[in-house]
Amino acid sequence: MRAALARNAAVASGGGSGEVSGQEPEATVESVGYRGPTACAATGITYRQLDYWARTGLVEPSIRPAYGSGTQRLYSFKDVVVLKIVKRLLDTGVALQNIRTAVQHLRSTSPAELARMTLMSDGATVYECTSPDEVVDLLQGGQGIFGIAVGVVWRDVESGLSQLHGERVDTGETLVGHNPGDELARRRNRAV
């Protein structure tokens, strides 16, 4: 295992498991953004959580932050994946300080590397395992651990967002997901 990045939290660098589906990660990150309610629906968090995490700097939107009342945050695909990972880590009882360190590492990782990453945690420390030997070392420690295959989270978010609305970063055009029941969004796009 590589050295700890900060107090009680370690995230080593390298690859892991999981593969990206047909979409190219770089294109997804750069061309489409997702508003807060869409990010919440794709990750299973409340808008209140999303707002709190953005205001406290845990996970801030990388495309467009809120600039006061009435403005909408715009999250990248990678931001939404990180939000879902944060939710999973919080649900399992990982300390917020350790999650902040993990988020900093996730944010600095390229989308292609992120999609292949495997995170492991013993509930206190978060690790990125780069080989099966490191997973075995963690298991031999005698305490329970859980794993997050980021590639699986990536595909889950990708699937969820495909049914929701996105927004083109360059034009602001609403991109209607594959939800056949959303007539209002289709009308909005026709009116533009």
Side-chain angles (χ1 to χ4, degrees), residues 1-2 12-17 118 127-135:
M1 215 46 64
R2 298 207 180 157
S13 64
S17 65
T118 298
Y127 303 93
E128 179 189 351
C129 293
T130 60
S131 73
D133 294 335
E134 290 178 339
V135 175

Side-chain angles (χ1 to χ4, degrees), residues 15 29 36 46 51 58 69 88 106 131 144 146-147 178 183 186 191:
V29 170
T46 65
D51 183 54
L58 180 61
S69 180
R88 288 191 176 180
L106 294 170
S131 73
F146 69 91
H178 302 296
E183 180 63 28
R186 279 194 297 280

Side-chain angles (χ1 to χ4, degrees), residues 18-170:
E19 302 219 347
V20 181
S21 65
Q23 272 186 318
E24 177 63 34
E26 303 295 338
T28 303
V29 170
E30 293 176 3
S31 61
V32 179
Y34 303 95
R35 292 184 179 196
T38 302
C40 290
T43 59
I45 62 174
T46 65
Y47 192 81
R48 184 176 216 159
Q49 285 175 302
L50 181 74
D51 183 54
Y52 179 74
W53 294 351
R55 285 187 291 110
T56 60
L58 180 61
V59 181
E60 296 174 294
S62 62
I63 296 177
R64 183 176 63 217
Y67 293 110
S69 180
T71 60
Q72 296 262 336
R73 293 181 185 102
L74 200 59
Y75 291 85
S76 70
F77 180 82
K78 182 178 174 182
D79 295 336
V80 178
V81 170
V82 171
L83 286 167
K84 188 152 185 126
I85 292 168
V86 167
K87 179 185 183 334
R88 288 191 176 180
L89 291 170
L90 282 171
D91 287 350
T92 56
V94 176
L96 188 57
Q97 183 60 41
N98 296 341
I99 292 173
R100 283 188 185 282
T101 302
V103 166
Q104 288 172 352
H105 177 69
L106 294 170
R107 300 288 295 220
S108 67
T109 304
S110 76
E113 290 174 356
L114 187 65
R116 292 186 299 270
M117 186 180 292
T118 298
L119 299 176
M120 303 295 283
S121 178
D122 56 8
T125 305
V126 179
Y127 303 93
E128 179 189 351
C129 293
T130 60
S131 73
D133 294 335
E134 290 178 339
V135 175
V136 171
D137 288 346
L138 284 174
L139 290 170
Q140 289 177 347
Q143 60 189 106
I145 64 168
F146 69 91
I148 299 174
V150 179
V152 173
V153 174
W154 184 284
R155 287 188 300 274
D156 186 39
V157 168
E158 194 173 56
S159 173
L161 288 175
S162 72
Q163 297 177 10
L164 301 169
H165 304 310
E167 183 176 311
R168 286 187 54 92
V169 174
D170 54 351

